[in-house]
Amino acid sequence: QVQLVESGGGLVQAGGSLRLSCAASGRTFNRYTMGWFRQAPGKEREFVAAISGIATLTYYTDSVKGRFTISRDNAKSTVYLQMNSLKPEDTAVYYCATPRTPGWVRDVAYEYWGQGTQVTVSS
């Protein structure tokens, strides 16, 4: 059974940085895309970033390009989201996710989700 556990959220001032981590278990990690999503209060969940199984491909939503970096350590079965130059509008619960099937996906077809970690950016 696939399990995803996020960590690293917290409260930070605007302009600051945070690094989120997501530890995965239950299958061969390097065969699957990993993604980050977020959901702000009163809004729908939105895609943030994705990385392919061996990290050759990445994809970001426009609002985080140049500020966020997704990476992975396949030896540790962990994916990261480095968030710099944070803005109040980045405040949300951040979720790690992965698709059911191996290979590259961008922002759709994610079926396994973590429990989320809260990121709050104060102005």
Side-chain angles (χ1 to χ4, degrees):
Q1 183 175 352
V2 176
Q3 289 192 314
L4 303 173
V5 179
E6 303 98 333
S7 61
L11 173 64
V12 64
Q13 288 188 331
S17 298
L18 280 175
R19 188 176 83 153
L20 306 182
S21 300
C22 172
S25 62
R27 65 184 187 182
T28 305
F29 184 68
N30 63 11
R31 296 184 65 203
Y32 298 88
T33 295
M34 296 297 297
W36 286 97
F37 290 73
R38 66 186 179 186
Q39 187 167 19
K43 295 187 177 182
E44 292 188 353
R45 185 169 59 196
E46 66 170 349
F47 169 81
V48 176
I51 187 167
S52 61
I54 56 173
T56 52
L57 297 170
T58 58
Y59 180 65
Y60 298 89
T61 192
D62 286 346
S63 62
V64 307
K65 285 180 181 177
R67 300 189 298 123
F68 291 11
T69 302
I70 190 170
S71 62
R72 64 192 295 160
D73 184 338
N74 286 343
K76 297 181 179 179
S77 297
T78 300
V79 63
Y80 304 98
L81 186 68
Q82 177 67 44
M83 305 185 295
N84 298 330
S85 302
L86 282 161
K87 304 175 181 180
E89 51 264 43
D90 294 318
T91 295
V93 177
Y94 283 72
Y95 298 90
C96 172
T98 189
R100 183 174 59 86
T101 56
W104 171 238
V105 300
R106 296 205 302 182
D107 54 354
V108 295
Y110 289 81
E111 297 193 23
Y112 299 107
W113 298 84
Q115 82 288 350
T117 186
Q118 176 71 47
V119 171
T120 303
V121 184
S122 63
S123 57

